[in-house]
Amino acid sequence: MESFMKGIRGDVPCVLDMDPTHTVGGGVEDFYGEDRATEDQLVTPWTISVASGHTLLRDKRHNKGLGFTETERDAHYLRGLLPPAIISQELQERKMMKNLRSYDVPLQRYMAMMDLQELLPVVYTPTVGEACQKYGSIFRRPQGLYISLKEKGKILEVLRNWPERSIQVIVVTDGERILGLGDLGCQGMGIPVGKLSLYTALGGVRPSACLPITLDVGTNNETLLNDEFYIGLKQKRPRGQEYADFLQEFMSAVKQSYGEKVLIQFEDFANHNAFDLLAKYGTTHLVFNDDIQGTASVVLAGLISALKLIGGTLADHTFMFLGAGEAGTGIAELIALEISRQTKTPVEETRKKLWLVDSKGLVVSSRVESLQHFKKPWAHNHEPLKSLLEAVKAIKPTVLIGTSGVGQTFTQEVVEAMSTFNEKPLILALSNPTSQAECTAEQAYTWSKGKAIFASGSPFDPFEYEGKTFMPGQANNAYVFPGFGLGVIMCGAIRVHDDMLLAASEALAKQVSEENYAQGLIYPPFTNIRKISAQIAANVAAKAYELGLASRRPRPDDLVKYAESCMYTPVYRNYR
Ligand SMILES: O=C([O-])CC(=O)C(=O)O
Ligand SMILES: [Mg+2]
């Protein structure tokens, strides 16, 4: 079986190629749990067979549709099962794109692409948000692995039902805070599926090595609980020990199944679990929280490159956040860390340049007793202020960052105030999807009279203001997590370290060209993302080696080349 797997995958030179013996500490080598079988412990007699004929056409990993050559049609019993034309992969892609573009409604495009996610650049924010909201009614065929409270005590067995054994990246959500849309329960599955599609499309991680997981622990969303089409458990979310035990079982089962070096990306958990999970499993597993760490790394990159446009060093600026949750505090902490490194000042000092505003107003020291633990480091000395506008006027930030998950909260007054004391106010409206953006590109440019440098989490079209075209950037964690993940797995990292996030930011910021700056862009265009991901992967891996956290030896000399050689491309392989 091993040689068979090498045979079908061996045509792309890549260390990520599944050598089933490559992991430590897990059950990877014992793919089917056969070694653990006893009279009481029964095992499933899994088999692997070579697909041909009708079965081959229905196997989405190997099917090429009309792309099968004459020889392959003979060799694989396909004669008669396909019409006679042979259509190249390139032509198939063109046909697919033409069909997709013929749909006017983005959600229809999403549904058309659900069948094809491994091969095409994928649907992401904003449509994935709508897809999650309507997942119950658009549900066609399952994607990803659903692990619900019903499977408590049996999670290891559920993992075994997944058809792939060699997993390198897991994106897991419990659906409690899907983008800025709130608790979507089990329907959050669109997010891990979408994120992993980007892992493949943007970061070149092999699709079969990606595992999307939704932990269904119920939902507190009354609409879903009363929806006859809801696909998840109809019960309220447990808190405390029951939740912690379930997560513990999951995390242990993952390690046991896939080993020490599988990357587990936490996605769209609610604040009250996200920080604790990251802290708890950060020391025992290879975990990464995209909303806290990925977003932070992308925003820091944007800030580093924005300095070329707004001048000064990071330490010269004053930052204000609306929203003191995962993204807000995550970004703030990474900026404070970078300033601390640059200025050799303790992070406790550098944090004072960053101000957070939450739903109760400015985060200040007089509120410290009642603050959630992740907000406490940001409670600076200042009189209490109730609104963002008051806070902006009092603190006069140079950079305003929206991470509130609430749309239309950067009002005209706020943007105008930012423009009175800043030559070029930097305004980042990061909440997703578009409906939750703190302001639109059009509003930022119009209200600032064309002064703002603007980027947002979800994409906005270029906007023309007084004869000039403004290009909004997309400050979305999608710039970093695919390359970051590739970097981590290609060097066999065993833990994620904050310095690896800084390394990713620096690599991304370096990719912004003079031409981009001239257009007011603080991020490089997404069209070059595979190249960018390779640079990020290389820088992250270099840092992991430097920190002694990389287990793959010897260290490749040219990490960029190595990253590129590790990237999977969806081209049809030739069959014997
Ligand atoms: O998914 C996205 O577009 C960015 C993200 O992580 C979030 O908003 O939670
Ligand atoms: Mg997210």
Side-chain angles (χ1 to χ4, degrees), residues 497-516:
H497 188 285
D498 281 348
D499 284 357
M500 288 150 68
L501 301 172
L502 296 179
S505 304
E506 282 155 19
L508 176 57
K510 275 207 194 109
Q511 298 302 307
V512 191
S513 66
E514 289 305 324
E515 192 191 330
N516 301 147

Side-chain angles (χ1 to χ4, degrees), residues 124-125 177 179 191 195 267-268 290-291 295 432 476-477:
Y124 191 51
T125 184
R177 197 235 71 212
L179 307 178
I191 294 296
K195 294 272 173 183
E267 192 72 50
D268 292 8
D290 190 32
D291 302 295
T295 309
N432 297 309
N476 189 293
N477 47 33

Side-chain angles (χ1 to χ4, degrees), residues 346-411:
V347 76
E348 291 73 21
E349 271 309 302
T350 61
R351 285 195 186 117
K352 293 182 181 155
K353 298 288 284 180
L354 299 117
W355 296 84
L356 271 51
V357 175
D358 66 9
S359 59
K360 300 201 172 60
L362 191 63
V363 173
V364 288
S365 44
S366 57
R367 292 177 52 194
V368 79
E369 290 306 317
S370 62
L371 289 172
Q372 286 164 286
H373 65 90
F374 49 88
K375 297 186 187 178
K376 288 187 200 281
W378 309 99
H380 307 319
N381 290 330
H382 198 282
E383 60 165 325
L385 295 172
K386 282 266 167 293
S387 72
L388 175 66
L389 184 60
E390 285 173 88
V392 164
K393 286 183 171 164
I395 311 274
K396 296 192 172 40
T398 53
V399 180
L400 181 63
I401 303 178
T403 52
S404 59
V406 187
Q408 292 297 309
T409 37
F410 288 172
T411 59

Side-chain angles (χ1 to χ4, degrees), residues 60 109-120 122-123 128 131-132 134-136 138-147 162-163 171 173 186-198 207 210-215 231:
K60 63 182 159 60
R109 291 187 187 175
Y110 182 94
M111 290 165 68
M113 290 202 42
M114 281 171 88
D115 296 335
L116 265 169
Q117 295 217 347
E118 290 164 27
L119 299 182
L120 290 172
V122 234
V123 225
V128 70
C132 288
K134 300 178 182 164
Y135 219 74
I138 68 169
F139 185 83
R140 294 172 160 188
R141 66 181 171 85
Q143 292 174 293
L145 195 64
Y146 294 89
I147 304 178
W162 187 250
V171 177
T173 188
C186 195
Q187 303 193 164
M189 182 58 102
I191 294 296
V193 168
K195 294 272 173 183
L196 283 164
S197 302
L198 299 201
C210 296
L211 172 54
I213 297 184
T214 293
L215 298 175
I231 58 174

